[in-house]
Amino acid sequence: VKIKPGSVLATLGLESNDRLVALNGIEVTSTERMLEAYARMRSGTIDRFTINIVRNGKPTNIDYVVR
């Protein structure tokens, strides 16, 4: 997926060709799993979350603090 400069995804630190693996520990293996991860994040009060990606063939975690 191509990430446009200035987009929300770019602001979150994602880059073109990153492969999303998990969101807050929930493996994103299907659309349903992605919606599950999103619903869990929306249903609670979160102050931190982690996105697990593969960038240039290497597993990478991006940690966020919600303000």
Side-chain angles (χ1 to χ4, degrees):
V1 174
K2 185 164 175 87
I3 305 293
K4 294 181 181 180
S7 69
V8 172
L9 296 176
T11 301
L12 289 174
L14 296 173
E15 298 177 3
S16 295
N17 300 316
D18 284 351
R19 184 172 57 88
L20 180 61
V21 176
L23 178 59
N24 261 9
I26 299 173
E27 289 186 28
V28 182
T29 55
S30 66
T31 302
E32 290 81 17
R33 294 288 287 175
M34 183 63 194
L35 291 172
E36 177 186 344
Y38 177 71
R40 284 189 189 181
M41 289 180 67
R42 285 200 65 198
S43 67
T45 303
I46 60 166
D47 58 354
R48 298 175 178 270
F49 67 96
T50 300
I51 295 178
N52 308 99
I53 62 170
V54 174
R55 178 176 288 161
N56 299 321
K58 297 178 184 175
T60 304
N61 295 333
I62 305 174
D63 297 309
Y64 300 94
V65 175
V66 179
R67 297 176 188 206

